């Protein structure tokens, strides 16, 4: 059974509500990627696509002093993001937009920077990068993190699982070429450390899974689904050298 089938179900809310992140990442990685952006102006205008509960939104607001348009199609994540931003003292810098990344209606060339951690895959890496391009000011940049093969020959267990869950996963070299074909240059990359999966994402997710599993004891289908989630954690434990999240930092070509 595919994990994506439970999005927008009550079970998904149980599994994800209140967790720090909805994908691998860390403040350190966000700031590292930000430091690689070419000539960011003071107080930039930034679009954060698929902001989720907003860990990176808040980091970007703090680090740049800019205005962040935070786009997500789930109001509950925007609500979590706004509550956290208020606590962090950056809510006035963040404009939440509840809508789909497939129907973005921002003005052309209106952002200095487009950011998307763990969400560009929803449009598809190349399609998403092409969709972003028109909204970026001349000389502006796009930064995304994307699940990526770290080897040309992944172990069968990892290859088979991701062939089901994310068949479009590619290597860094292939994605760099796609970025270049989509109208970007100076593509720079780095791999997130395995800790960036565990500390704020898989770790809290796995702890929540144990609680939710206990609550649903005896519900055969739900337990099977939850056990399939657990296999994803175990797969990463075994094969974190074969795939990982990679940041791609790139400048819009003139
Ligand atoms: C894997 S999560 C990443 C969230 C966040 N960037 C993070 O790293 O914690 C993907 C996010 O994209 C949002 N999303 C899914 N489909 C979307 C769409 N069509 N338009 C906008 N956001 C979408 C989800 O609600 C979720 O918050």
């Amino acid at each position: 059974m595919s994990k994506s089938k439970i999005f927008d179900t009550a079970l998904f809310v149980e599994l994800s509500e209140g967790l720090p992140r909805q994908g691998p990442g860390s403040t350190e990685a966000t700031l590292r990627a930000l430091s690689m952006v070419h000539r960011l102006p003071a107080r930039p205008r930034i679009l954060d696509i698929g902001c989720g509960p907003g860990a990176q939104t808040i980091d970007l607001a703090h680090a740049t002093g800019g205005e962040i348009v935070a786009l997500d199609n789930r109001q509950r994540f925007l609500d979590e993001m706004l509550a956290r931003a208020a606590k962090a003292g950056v809510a006035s810098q963040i404009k939440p937009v509840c809508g789909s990344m497939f129907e973005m209606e921002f003005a052309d060339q209106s952002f200095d920077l487009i950011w998307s951690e763990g969400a560009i895959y929803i449009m598809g890496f190349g399609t998403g990068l092409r969709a972003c391009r028109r909204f970026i000011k001349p000389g502006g940049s796009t930064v995304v993190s994307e699940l990526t093969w770290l080897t040309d020959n992944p172990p069968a267990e990892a290859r088979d699982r991701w062939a089901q869950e994310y068949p479009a996963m590619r290597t860094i070299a292939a994605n760099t070429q796609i970025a270049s074909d989509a109208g970007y240059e100076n593509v720079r990359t780095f791999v997130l450390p395995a800790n960036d999966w565990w500390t704020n994402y898989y770790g809290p997710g796995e702890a929540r899974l144990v609680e939710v599993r206990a609550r649903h004891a005896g519900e055969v289908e739900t337990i099977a689904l939850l056990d399939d989630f657990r296999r994803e954690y175990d797969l990463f434990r075994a094969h974190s050298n074969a795939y990982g999240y990679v940041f791609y930092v790139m400048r819009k070509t003139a």
Side-chain angles (χ1 to χ4, degrees):
M1 195 179 310
S2 167
K3 193 177 157 187
S4 57
K5 283 197 183 139
I6 75 151
F7 289 142
D8 293 321
T9 62
L11 184 64
F12 182 57
V13 175
E14 271 187 81
L15 287 167
S16 61
E17 196 164 37
L19 296 187
R21 305 189 81 106
Q22 287 300 313
S26 66
T27 296
E28 294 71 23
T30 298
L31 297 184
R32 181 175 174 196
L34 188 64
S35 76
M36 291 160 68
V37 171
H38 182 76
R39 286 202 200 138
L40 195 61
R43 307 176 71 75
R45 189 156 188 267
I46 302 172
L47 172 62
D48 182 7
I49 298 177
C51 65
Q56 74 291 321
T57 323
I58 292 166
D59 289 337
L60 291 170
H62 271 308
T64 66
E67 179 200 342
I68 326 284
V69 174
L71 174 72
D72 205 284
N73 67 347
R74 291 178 174 85
Q75 186 60 46
R76 70 183 184 91
F77 282 138
L78 292 171
D79 292 343
E80 286 188 20
M81 180 276 294
L82 281 174
R84 288 173 185 172
K87 268 196 196 150
V90 293
S92 64
Q93 289 170 247
I94 298 173
K95 183 176 173 232
V97 175
C98 190
S100 175
M101 65 178 84
F102 290 98
E103 292 157 14
M104 294 190 285
E105 287 180 357
F106 305 106
D108 285 358
Q109 303 194 355
S110 57
F111 292 99
D112 299 291
L113 178 60
I114 295 188
W115 201 274
S116 186
E117 291 197 25
I120 202 75
Y121 78 93
I122 293 161
M123 283 190 276
F125 187 78
T127 306
L129 292 183
R130 276 190 297 279
C132 289
R133 200 175 176 282
R134 57 186 279 229
F135 303 120
I136 307 169
K137 293 179 189 173
S141 295
T142 293
V143 175
V144 301
S145 67
E146 165 79 352
L147 187 63
T148 301
W149 287 119
L150 304 179
T151 168
D152 290 329
N153 295 303
E157 193 188 12
R159 193 192 55 219
D160 293 350
R161 168 84 190 204
W162 290 114
Q164 297 294 317
E165 299 288 337
Y166 190 39
M169 196 194 325
R170 299 180 188 85
T171 60
I172 293 177
N175 279 336
T176 300
Q177 184 61 52
I178 287 171
S180 162
D181 294 343
Y184 295 88
E185 60 191 6
N186 197 22
V187 183
R188 301 172 68 192
T189 66
F190 67 92
V191 181
L192 269 75
N195 268 349
D196 284 1
W197 288 66
W198 290 112
T199 308
N200 292 311
Y201 180 47
Y202 271 0
E206 199 169 30
R208 177 67 62 81
L209 188 80
V210 171
E211 291 167 25
V212 173
R213 199 178 186 285
R215 227 178 282 146
H216 289 272
E219 298 170 28
V220 176
E221 259 199 47
T222 302
I223 294 295
L225 193 52
L226 295 174
D227 287 347
D228 191 47
F229 269 56
R230 176 172 291 166
R231 279 193 282 280
E232 185 180 311
Y233 302 134
D234 291 339
L235 188 76
F236 188 67
R237 274 193 187 92
H239 300 299
S240 63
N241 54 349
Y243 61 91
Y245 255 81
V246 174
F247 260 104
Y248 297 83
V249 180
M250 63 205 95
R251 194 171 60 206
K252 179 181 175 178
T253 47

